[in-house]
Amino acid sequence: MRQSLLLLRKDLRRLWPQVAVFWALLAGHTFLDAATPSNPSFTLNITIPALALVGAFFYLIGVLIHEEVLTGDRQFWLTRPFDWRSLLAAKTIFVLGLIAAFTSARS
């Protein structure tokens, strides 16, 4: 579990700009959803930020997965080997945190 938390902290430290953009989009979408009435003529105001939020969600997951380079001789995991289960747990915790934030804004 300690290795998973170290890997999660490393991912958060390296991806903080993308996470900040995701949270800004999430806050903007939440604000627009609360500010606009439930009128069908205002759906365009909600759909564009929602699509941007979904795009940022999948982009962040893709960047998170591709953060660990598997080939070459200068990878962090060669000098400090981690168990694959720890790596999988760290990535899963990160994705579950994104999903929790995403679904809390949708409800």
Side-chain angles (χ1 to χ4, degrees), residues 2-4 16 19 25 31 34 36-37 40-41 47 52-53 60-61 69 74 78 81 87-88 96 98 106:
R2 179 178 158 88
Q3 286 182 350
S4 298
W16 74 266
V19 172
L25 286 171
F31 175 75
T36 57
S41 65
T47 0
L53 184 62
L60 194 53
I61 290 175
V69 181
R74 295 185 182 183
L78 287 175
L87 182 63
L88 182 64
L96 288 177
L98 286 178
R106 302 292 300 161

Side-chain angles (χ1 to χ4, degrees), residues 29-89:
H29 179 268
T30 305
F31 175 75
L32 280 176
D33 193 28
T36 57
S38 298
N39 190 346
S41 65
F42 290 114
T43 56
L44 186 62
N45 291 342
I46 295 172
T47 0
I48 292 173
L51 288 175
L53 184 62
V54 169
F57 176 76
F58 285 115
Y59 171 77
L60 194 53
I61 290 175
V63 168
L64 175 73
I65 299 297
H66 288 287
E67 190 70 21
E68 304 298 328
V69 181
L70 296 177
T71 58
D73 61 350
R74 295 185 182 183
Q75 282 68 36
F76 180 69
W77 57 270
L78 287 175
T79 59
R80 188 172 186 185
F82 286 118
D83 188 28
W84 67 271
R85 290 177 286 266
S86 297
L87 182 63
L88 182 64

